[in-house]
Amino acid sequence: MEKPFYITTPIYYVNDDPHLGHAYTTVLADTIARYRRIAGEEVFFLTGTDEHGQKIAEAAAARGMSPKQHCDLYVKNFKNFWRELDIQYDHFIRTTDREHKNAIQKALMRLWELGEIYQDEYSGWYCTPCERFWTEKDVEDGLCPDCKRPVKELSEKNYFFRMSKHQDWLIEHIEKNPHFIRPESRRNEILGFLRQPLNDLCISRPKDRLSWGIELPFDKDFVCYVWFDALMNYVTAIGWPERKPNFEYHWPADVHLMAKDIITTHAVYWPTMLHALGIEPPRTVFSHGWWMVEEVKMGKSMGNAVPIPKLLKLIGRDALRYFLIRDSVISSDSQFTFEGLIRRINTDLANDLGNLTSRVLGLIHQNFDGVVPVPGKATEDEIALKNTAIAAAETLRDEVMDFRLSRGLEAVNGLVSETNRYLENTAPWNLAKQGDWERLETVLYNAAEALRVASILLWPVMPDACDEIRKRLGIEKQKILLENAMEWGLLKSNRDTYVGLPLFPRIDEEAMMKDLREEEHPLPSTETAEGLIDIGHFAKIQLALGKVIECENMPKADRLLILKVDLGTEIRQIIAGIAPWYMPEELIGKTIVIVLNLEPVKIRGYESRGMLLAAGTGDVVKVLTVDGELPPGTAIK
Ligand code: ME8
């Protein structure tokens, strides 16, 4: 029996909201999954969230929440975002799922018993945002070679996975399997990296530094390194090791998709971990380039993420999906510009596809009361159109199977433009005037048939628009199958159609940029952040002024301050993630704004009762204060 096509995205960190970079990989996976499904394959598409580790613990602390509360909230944001983009995953894994945690402990125990894990003293340079140690030679000017942020020297006892032991096997595996790492450029990069001896991998973190993680089954003072925990999701999600038949039915994964930032973890750490556990490696690890904004990688910590909720409202999810797939060259970086986005939508979607749909259906209405005509004899023009359609379908299929979706879409857009040209050449409006009904029937049937083919080929990228085209053509009940795009003449005559509104209205650049600019200060991202709330909701939040009477750094935490705040009737302890922007003494004496009625939480063993308010962009953060003297405890209404 053929196993399902198993495709994965990275599991994303929930330290902040999803951004366009996350959307890209997930839309790409969803689109490939849909193509495979309409090609008749069974597919298993996995995505999820990476919830342990320092990054998440600190993000939670900065928001005055427990890590689990924080994760639950952000997981909802991710899931809502995927729903808005119509991502049809088969399973969403969270690394805080019980089954996953149990499986990680089993994996660790197995490796420990096999002697693949040992304890050692380790000192090195640690990058907190990347959660990894670097050696002296990696670090330049005290900065992390990956994210270019400062690293700090750390020395501690830890557990190590004997990754180096599997180096020769890995090199041989990569050499024997040209499709194991794709594209070719990344494969060469990894082979180059493997020319140096591999270090063993530190797979633990002492609990006194970080407690938010999965406990090592053989030492309760340590938690598992977040990357070990995260990579394993690809096998735990399908039931390893407990649900063996399910696991064996799906594994190996056909493709793990990710961007180039995490190719080493996927192409080196992951296969060696699997090899040590006696599990076959995935078939392909595919690393795409980055979406960049003005030459900088788009990302939440870079502060240049595109305002997606607003963008989605303005252009719709199909247009965004199309743009992301069409305008990215999978093996290199892609530049995001609003001009590029608008140009793409106006050209390919409003002018070409939208126009073709309106024209064909409009002409069928004007001339045949909306009923698909019966075609007469095909001339050279119809044969050429048919050949273009079949060639586009075949090109698309081949390019998709080879992960070059942009080229596949280019071929489909070629078919759409060609059909518009066919209408111009055959000029059905003149045929109507001349009363050449038979020729008119043939032309409009063939143009509608090309539209039917396009509605299959584009469906995985733009499901809403293509469903709508199919409805207008009267074929919404037909199953969408790729093979039906390779056959000409399947559109049934004598069906009722309708014209409808333009599928993709032209975007006015100036108006859109104005609308987007109004989004410059988005609401904070919570479940209620979308849309408006009534005053009753706001009144539930109790805000008051508090005077900071003590403030100190939290030991072993870079971002956290412990504040004692006088609220008139009581003194409260509040933990705030603002240490990167304030020295403790700068805050003492300040009158700041406090949210009073939050559930108390413990952050690294320190209780926090309430939250202070601050505003900022990432580079600059300022606490909110009041304009003038008011006593502590004054309510804010
Ligand atoms: O790395 N362009 O999570 P993450 C294209 N939790 N893709 C981008 C992108 C950009 N500018 N920015 C992000 C992690 N991505 C780990 C993964 S997997 C076992 C653990 C996409 O939230 C891209 O897929 O930082 C990248 O690899 C991923 O988001 C990183 O997501």
Side-chain angles (χ1 to χ4, degrees):
M1 189 172 44
E2 244 320 272
K3 80 167 207 63
F5 179 79
Y6 180 20
I7 182 166
T8 68
T9 69
I11 48 171
Y12 304 112
Y13 287 128
V14 284
N15 56 337
D16 212 334
D17 279 333
H19 57 74
L20 208 67
H22 299 129
Y24 174 60
T25 316
T26 313
V27 167
L28 182 64
D30 183 64
T31 306
I32 295 174
R34 286 174 188 255
Y35 274 121
R36 295 275 177 166
R37 287 195 194 105
I38 67 167
E41 285 181 64
E42 190 189 342
V43 172
F44 189 78
F45 166 22
L46 175 72
T47 189
T49 42
D50 190 354
E51 302 184 22
H52 292 122
Q54 196 145 334
K55 223 194 274 239
I56 311 298
E58 289 191 356
R63 291 185 174 95
M65 295 175 177
S66 73
K68 185 65 169 61
Q69 282 174 332
H70 167 92
C71 290
D72 289 349
L73 180 63
Y74 279 83
V75 165
K76 274 199 193 121
N77 290 350
F78 269 88
K79 285 190 172 172
N80 285 340
F81 188 39
W82 299 150
R83 200 169 308 121
E84 278 186 38
L85 284 171
D86 203 4
I87 303 296
Q88 293 188 351
Y89 50 77
D90 295 291
H91 185 62
F92 188 101
I93 187 167
R94 299 182 56 176
T95 52
T96 49
D97 289 341
R98 186 145 35 96
E99 190 183 12
H100 174 80
K101 290 196 281 189
N102 289 341
I104 296 300
Q105 291 200 320
K106 293 223 161 79
L108 289 164
M109 201 62 199
R110 201 169 284 184
L111 293 176
W112 177 245
E113 282 165 1
L114 288 167
E116 294 275 357
I117 290 177
Y118 62 93
Q119 197 189 43
D120 201 1
E121 183 80 31
Y122 187 79
S123 56
W125 296 92
Y126 191 71
C127 172
T128 307
C130 296
E131 308 209 12
R132 60 169 293 185
F133 276 103
W134 295 100
T135 59
E136 184 75 46
K137 68 174 173 19
D138 299 321
V139 173
E140 235 178 75
D141 300 328
L143 300 179
C144 165
D146 260 5
C147 73
K148 311 287 179 224
R149 279 176 278 205
V151 290
K152 59 184 175 194
E153 199 170 16
L154 269 184
S155 174
E156 62 192 19
K157 198 169 269 176
N158 261 313
Y159 287 89
F160 293 83
F161 162 53
R162 293 187 196 281
M163 189 157 74
S164 56
K165 187 176 136 187
H166 304 276
Q167 179 164 9
D168 291 343
W169 164 80
L170 180 61
I171 295 174
E172 199 183 319
H173 182 76
I174 299 172
E175 278 171 350
K176 273 199 192 143
N177 296 276
H179 279 174
F180 176 55
I181 302 172
R182 296 194 63 192
E184 180 81 20
S185 51
R186 301 274 168 250
R187 177 173 184 261
N188 294 337
E189 201 177 289
I190 294 293
L191 280 171
F193 172 77
L194 287 170
R195 261 180 234 124
Q196 304 292 327
L198 260 187
N199 292 325
D200 286 345
L201 182 68
C202 176
I203 53 104
S204 64
R205 296 290 179 263
K207 261 196 195 164
D208 60 6
R209 183 150 68 78
L210 173 74
S211 61
W212 180 235
I214 300 173
E215 194 175 274
L216 298 191
F218 42 83
D219 191 335
K220 302 219 166 324
D221 292 335
F222 289 84
V223 293
C224 175
Y225 168 47
V226 64
W227 267 104
F228 185 94
D229 162 5
L231 287 162
M232 287 292 291
N233 92 87
Y234 302 129
V235 295
T236 64
I238 50 169
W240 185 90
E242 296 292 332
R243 292 182 288 121
K244 210 167 164 219
N246 195 60
F247 169 69
E248 284 173 354
Y249 180 57
H250 292 90
W251 194 256
D254 289 271
V255 59
H256 293 316
L257 292 177
M258 81 229 48
K260 60 185 182 181
D261 47 342
I262 54 175
I263 180 74
T264 314
T265 48
H266 282 81
V268 178
Y269 298 9
W270 179 222
T272 54
M273 282 162 58
L274 287 169
H275 191 237
L277 285 165
I279 306 173
E280 188 183 339
R283 289 188 178 150
T284 296
V285 169
F286 195 104
S287 145
H288 57 72
W290 281 333
W291 276 97
M292 316 277 282
V293 178
E294 288 164 4
E295 308 299 324
V296 178
K297 179 190 166 221
M298 187 187 292
K300 46 205 164 196
S301 47
M302 301 296 174
N304 61 356
V306 174
I308 304 188
K310 185 84 185 199
L311 189 63
L312 268 175
K313 273 193 206 115
L314 292 174
I315 66 171
R317 62 182 174 199
D318 274 2
L320 185 63
R321 287 174 64 111
Y322 182 82
F323 166 75
L324 287 175
I325 301 294
R326 178 68 185 89
D327 273 48
S328 57
V329 184
I330 199 127
S331 52
S332 53
D333 292 342
S334 314
Q335 290 297 333
F336 179 93
T337 62
F338 287 104
E339 296 71 36
L341 170 76
I342 295 167
R343 200 178 325 118
R344 179 61 73 192
I345 296 173
N346 282 348
T347 312
D348 288 16
L349 302 183
N351 281 3
D352 292 352
L353 182 65
N355 199 11
L356 177 67
T357 310
S358 309
R359 261 171 148 184
V360 172
L361 293 168
L363 286 162
I364 292 180
H365 267 259
Q366 277 162 29
N367 297 294
F368 303 111
D369 286 336
V371 177
V372 179
V374 180
K377 200 171 164 348
T379 68
E380 260 175 31
D381 285 342
E382 283 73 48
I383 293 167
L385 187 65
K386 166 185 165 178
N387 290 341
T388 308
I390 292 173
E394 284 172 356
T395 306
L396 176 95
R397 179 198 55 203
D398 297 347
E399 299 290 4
V400 168
M401 297 299 155
D402 217 21
F403 305 105
R404 288 188 302 251
L405 276 74
S406 178
R407 282 209 217 160
L409 291 185
E410 200 178 334
V412 183
N413 191 244
L415 166 65
V416 172
S417 316
E418 198 51 46
T419 313
N420 274 320
R421 252 192 309 277
Y422 166 77
L423 285 176
E424 268 138 45
N425 292 343
T426 51
W429 36 91
N430 290 341
L431 296 172
K433 267 192 231 144
Q434 292 153 10
D436 190 349
W437 299 111
E438 197 186 326
R439 185 73 194 128
L440 184 61
E441 283 168 346
T442 306
V443 167
L444 293 187
Y445 175 87
N446 279 276
E449 175 62 353
L451 196 57
R452 176 192 72 83
V453 170
S455 79
I456 297 176
L457 299 180
L458 293 172
W459 181 82
V461 192
M462 298 188 288
D464 289 345
C466 292
D467 282 340
E468 180 60 26
I469 294 175
R470 298 175 70 76
K471 219 159 145 194
R472 293 183 189 184
L473 284 172
I475 52 170
E476 75 269 30
K477 293 214 173 75
Q478 275 174 21
K479 197 163 178 221
I480 300 177
L481 290 172
L482 199 53
E483 64 190 32
N484 288 347
M486 290 171 208
E487 214 172 307
W488 193 254
L490 293 184
L491 182 68
K492 294 236 164 53
S493 302
N494 301 323
R495 272 177 199 263
D496 281 332
T497 64
Y498 73 92
V499 182
L501 294 171
L503 279 181
F504 296 99
R506 264 190 86 77
I507 294 176
D508 178 69
E509 186 171 338
E510 212 173 300
M512 184 170 119
M513 295 314 289
K514 185 168 164 280
D515 279 345
L516 281 171
R517 268 193 295 272
E518 281 165 13
E519 182 74 6
E520 257 169 20
H521 304 290
L523 289 165
S525 164
T526 67
E527 274 172 278
T528 54
E530 296 263 294
L532 302 174
I533 55 166
D534 63 43
I535 187 76
H537 281 96
F538 182 70
K540 285 189 187 149
I541 303 170
Q542 292 171 17
L543 299 167
L545 296 180
K547 187 165 184 167
V548 183
I549 51 173
E550 281 176 36
C551 184
E552 56 182 5
N553 284 306
M554 185 185 285
K556 297 189 189 158
D558 290 349
R559 308 176 69 88
L560 302 178
L561 293 180
I562 308 173
L563 292 88
K564 295 266 167 35
V565 181
D566 180 2
L567 290 163
T569 50
E570 58 171 323
I571 311 275
R572 283 205 194 179
Q573 175 168 289
I574 288 176
I575 313 296
I578 51 169
W581 301 281
Y582 281 97
M583 305 289 284
E585 51 277 15
E586 283 180 82
L587 285 172
I588 297 174
K590 274 204 166 51
T591 299
I592 60 175
V593 178
I594 303 291
V595 184
L596 294 176
N597 55 337
L598 282 181
E599 230 177 86
V601 288
K602 272 224 161 137
I603 298 168
R604 306 220 181 167
Y606 294 84
E607 183 172 64
S608 182
R609 293 173 56 227
M611 179 175 89
L612 63 74
L613 294 186
T617 57
D619 294 338
V620 184
V621 170
K622 298 281 177 202
V623 295
L624 262 58
T625 56
V626 65
D627 175 26
E629 287 289 313
L630 280 171
T634 307
I636 297 174
K637 292 181 186 150

